[in-house]
Amino acid sequence: MRYTLLVLSPPDHGYSNGHALDFARNLLASGHELACVFFFDAGVLTGLATAEAPQDERNLRAEWSALAQEQNARLVLCVASAARFGLGESPAPDTLQSGFAVAGLGDLAEARGTSNRLLTFGD
């Protein structure tokens, strides 16, 4: 099966962001496909390179980046949410975690159109 994931929560609040990452890893390990992980609303803060995770917590930003590099996963930050949360409509490359891109809701619609399932993760 082919999945699209929609992540609404930031990596440093609640458990949804981490659950989405674990789900993505498990579905890829099970032989499924991941069309796209789309970060919307406060979820776009996952792609922020200048933020650091506390030492006693998972570094979800780095783990998402690793997933993108290891599995060629497509990680997309919503352009409107990025602007709303201070990243700007065209963030400088050094402000984004490696493996993240910025695009509009059309990319989410396109990924959903090629997927069997759309799952939403949010607190």
Side-chain angles (χ1 to χ4, degrees), residues 22-106:
D22 294 339
F23 185 84
R25 284 185 176 146
N26 288 328
L27 74 89
L28 291 168
S30 298
H32 298 286
E33 293 181 54
L34 184 59
C36 173
V37 181
F38 195 87
F39 297 86
F40 185 75
D41 200 31
V44 297
L45 296 174
T46 306
L48 186 61
T50 57
E52 292 184 24
Q55 288 181 337
D56 60 340
E57 293 180 17
R58 287 175 73 181
N59 187 344
L60 293 172
R61 289 176 178 92
E63 289 185 44
W64 278 111
S65 254
L67 180 76
Q69 293 172 0
E70 295 162 6
Q71 301 289 333
N72 201 26
R74 191 163 162 254
L75 308 179
V76 179
L77 305 175
C78 174
V79 65
S81 294
R84 186 175 334 119
F85 282 89
L87 295 171
E89 289 185 15
S90 335
D94 62 337
T95 62
L96 295 182
Q97 280 287 110
S98 164
F100 284 84
V102 177
L105 285 173

Side-chain angles (χ1 to χ4, degrees), residues 66 103 107 109:
D107 274 31

